[in-house]
């Protein structure tokens, strides 16, 4: 697991090209969670015409509210991910990340109602 520091996250927040008028960040761990989900995905060479609304998939996987802004910053931080939410260079053949990626992220599973919506069948494969 890549442990992003608060300093790295704060720097990325100021350099992220958000596609929103207002940004929302409840906790830096939300960005760490989104980063881990993106990290598990297969990367492709181009930005697809239609993106994946990954925010909801990440929330249900991690059991915690994640904002679109969090996903945008996570993508900014990831060296292999490019594009603008929701159109990132990730394959539509989604990989369900292992929940072991969340073990050291304190905010994981804080909102159990989100985890109840997790559907492994949305993923083509498991990590």
């Amino acid at each position: 697991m890549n442990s992003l520091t608060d300093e790295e996250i704060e720097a990325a927040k100021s350099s992220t090209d958000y596609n929103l008028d207002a940004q929302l960040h409840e906790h830096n761990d939300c960005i760490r969670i989104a980063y881990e989900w993106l990290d598990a995905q297969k990367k492709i060479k181009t930005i697809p015409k239609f993106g994946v609304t990954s925010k909801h998939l990440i929330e249900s996987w991690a059991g915690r509210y994640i904002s679109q802004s969090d996903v945008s910053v996570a993508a900014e931080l990831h060296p292999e991910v490019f594009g603008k939410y929701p159109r990132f260079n990730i394959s539509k053949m989604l990989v369900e990340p292992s929940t072991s990626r969340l073990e050291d992220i304190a905010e994981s599973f804080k909102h159990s109602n989100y985890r109840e919506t997790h559907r492994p069948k949305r993923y083509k494969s498991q990590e």
Side-chain angles (χ1 to χ4, degrees):
M1 183 180 112
N2 181 355
S3 59
L4 300 169
T5 66
D6 285 338
E7 292 77 18
E8 290 171 317
I9 290 171
E10 292 306 318
K13 285 179 186 177
S14 63
S15 64
T16 296
D17 183 11
Y18 297 95
N19 56 352
L20 299 167
D21 291 334
Q23 294 82 46
L24 172 66
H25 298 290
E26 287 188 355
H27 196 287
N28 282 347
D29 276 356
C30 298
I31 294 165
R32 291 180 182 100
I33 289 167
Y35 183 98
E36 290 300 326
W37 189 92
L38 289 169
D39 189 57
Q41 303 309 308
K42 292 179 183 168
K43 312 313 179 279
I44 58 177
K45 293 180 182 178
T46 58
I47 295 174
K49 186 174 182 179
F50 301 102
V52 175
T53 52
S54 49
K55 165 193 168 8
H56 302 294
L57 292 168
I58 298 168
E59 289 173 334
S60 63
W61 169 67
R64 202 225 188 274
Y65 172 78
I66 303 292
S67 71
Q68 181 177 320
S69 302
D70 294 328
V71 180
S72 294
V73 173
E76 174 78 14
L77 285 160
H78 200 288
E80 297 173 358
V81 175
F82 56 90
K84 199 169 181 179
Y85 188 90
R87 296 176 55 223
F88 298 120
N89 65 317
I90 59 172
S91 171
K92 289 186 181 196
M93 307 288 264
L94 297 173
V95 176
E96 179 184 18
S98 169
T99 54
S100 66
R101 288 176 169 271
L102 301 171
E103 288 174 357
D104 295 330
I105 303 176
E107 289 291 310
S108 300
F109 309 111
K110 289 282 185 177
H111 304 150
S112 59
N113 57 319
Y114 281 96
R115 184 66 184 172
E116 292 168 8
T117 64
H118 182 66
R119 301 290 177 264
K121 291 186 185 232
R122 294 178 180 160
Y123 295 92
K124 183 72 175 171
S125 62
Q126 286 72 39
E127 186 176 42

